[in-house]
Amino acid sequence: MRRISIAVVAAVTLGTALPAAPATAAGTAGASAGLARCAAGVCHFDVPPGTYDVRLELGGADASSTSVTGETRRSLLPETPVPAGERVVRAFTVNVRTPEGEPTGPDGTPGLDLRIGGSAPALAAIRVTPARPAREIFLVGDSTVCDQPGDPYSGWGQQLPQYFRKGVSVANYADSGESTVSYLGNPRLWATVRPLIRRGDPVLVQLAHNDKTTDEATYRANLETLVAGVRERGGQPVLVTPIVRRWFNADGTLNNGTALLVNGLGVDHPAVVRSVAAARDVPLIDLTAKTKELVESLGVEASKALYLTAEARDNTHTSVRGAALYARLVRDELVTRHLVPRGTVRVG
């Protein structure tokens, strides 16, 4: 990935529309100028695709609470309270790409768009600079993982960036409707992702929900192909079992094929993922087991809030709340398995 020597700086007060201002040059030969505009709670940085560090100063005269989302509804900074009269500095690293959301979706807006939210937002200053080499977490998955374009849907990969500080970015190449077969076969998917993987980058693979007609031998072979492709690039493959569907038995358990992703051919997807991980010595995040435990612990009624049961009678796709909880489970596993530096993890 080509590195651009560019720095974009803007000092803003929310609620005050600012005119477009030229970026300050980085002070090195060949520095390239961008444009920044922060108005009506949105900051736009005219930068090319790449990985960028964002440094924020939050706070003001009154008590405040600020969050940041970016690009296609990615959660980049959780709600951050600041006492009246104080300032705090927060930083994160963000992946900017085209298309900015799902790989087979629309291109979106060029550059980097950050949306300043929260219950009482106060942004004092913001600075965007090209990131020094950072750990990139690649996500290969389906609609339960992807950057969902429309509310109230959210994939867990869309919520994952908020759990990391500067130094780790999330490149979410999950795409709605994809199986292991279609992900490998579409040139906009695996053929695009694989060349971007650098040595040491974790590549999380969660594909199962749409392998409804994939036989076990093909499913296993496809997972092995993805693992081999990551390793050939020097990356670290991580196999992730699929999140459960919220499909309860009368006894309050999820012990059925619908909930636990057993397809119509009798292929037990989580079991095959576990088997491939063991056979190929690949780190495993057993998200099926972890989400099953969480959903069952909440019970029939409380677990509705994790999915879109009320909004769309959808017990497969998650709400923002559910996706955030599932992303936190993934973050914890990445830390436990030393796949990300502990100092880059935002707790909470």
Side-chain angles (χ1 to χ4, degrees):
M1 183 178 295
R2 187 165 64 99
R3 297 290 176 186
I4 307 294
S5 179
I6 176 175
V8 184
V9 181
V12 304
T13 301
L14 285 185
T16 303
L18 297 183
T24 54
T28 58
S32 175
L35 296 177
R37 181 183 295 273
C38 291
V42 178
C43 297
H44 174 76
F45 298 90
D46 189 17
V47 296
T51 306
Y52 295 88
D53 290 332
V54 179
R55 182 184 184 276
L56 307 162
E57 289 185 29
L58 306 175
D62 300 322
S64 62
S65 188
T66 307
S67 63
V68 180
T69 60
E71 299 295 85
T72 303
R73 302 177 61 240
R74 297 182 219 160
S75 294
L76 299 171
L77 183 74
E79 189 128 352
T80 303
V82 181
E86 296 186 16
R87 298 274 180 87
V88 300
V89 173
R90 294 290 184 268
F92 55 82
T93 302
V94 61
N95 171 259
V96 177
R97 60 184 183 271
T98 302
E100 68 178 32
E102 296 180 82
T104 63
D107 285 353
T109 305
L112 172 61
D113 289 294
L114 300 174
R115 292 164 182 81
I116 313 303
S119 57
L123 178 63
I126 183 169
R127 180 182 175 91
V128 174
T129 55
R132 303 175 70 177
R135 181 66 55 87
E136 195 105 81
I137 300 172
F138 287 89
L139 303 182
V140 169
D142 53 35
S143 58
T144 66
V145 185
C146 75
D147 288 349
Q148 288 279 0
D151 185 67
Y153 288 82
S154 180
W156 63 254
Q158 199 165 19
Q159 299 299 318
L160 189 61
Q162 67 182 304
Y163 294 118
F164 297 101
R165 298 187 176 95
K166 176 183 172 183
V168 170
S169 67
V170 176
N172 190 354
Y173 283 87
D175 196 72
S176 292
E178 305 302 340
S179 65
T180 57
V181 176
S182 63
Y183 203 95
L184 285 167
N186 190 328
R188 298 182 70 179
L189 298 172
W190 183 235
T192 296
V193 176
R194 187 176 174 277
L196 302 176
I197 301 168
R198 301 168 305 175
R199 184 164 298 278
D201 285 339
V203 182
L204 279 58
V205 178
Q206 186 217 279
L207 287 166
H209 279 86
N210 299 301
D211 279 280
K212 297 173 183 177
T213 60
T214 309
D215 64 76
E216 182 169 339
T218 302
Y219 184 63
R220 181 182 297 272
N222 289 344
L223 292 175
E224 291 174 342
T225 296
L226 290 164
V227 166
V230 174
R231 284 178 166 163
E232 287 166 3
R233 293 291 302 169
Q236 174 62 72
V238 181
L239 290 177
V240 183
T241 59
I243 67 169
V244 295
R245 294 189 180 100
R246 185 191 159 278
W247 196 268
F248 280 93
N249 297 322
D251 63 0
T253 69
L254 300 177
N255 296 322
N256 60 77
T258 299
L260 300 181
L261 281 296
V262 178
N263 76 8
L265 301 178
V267 180
D268 185 331
H269 292 105
V272 176
V273 175
R274 295 176 190 120
S275 175
V276 172
R280 300 297 177 182
D281 193 25
V282 177
L284 172 74
I285 296 178
D286 198 341
L287 205 52
T288 305
K290 291 185 175 298
T291 56
K292 177 179 184 291
E293 180 182 8
L294 177 57
V295 171
E296 287 181 341
S297 71
L298 290 172
V300 174
E301 289 304 316
S303 64
K304 290 178 180 178
L306 304 188
Y307 291 81
L308 299 174
T309 307
E311 299 88 343
R313 297 183 180 179
D314 186 337
N315 292 298
T316 297
H317 298 96
T318 48
S319 63
V320 170
R321 178 182 175 186
L325 286 174
Y326 290 176
R328 190 162 64 186
L329 295 174
V330 173
R331 175 206 62 185
D332 292 347
E333 286 291 299
L334 291 171
V335 173
T336 299
R337 298 176 183 280
H338 307 290
L339 292 166
V340 294
R342 188 172 292 271
T344 62
V345 176
R346 183 175 286 114
V347 298

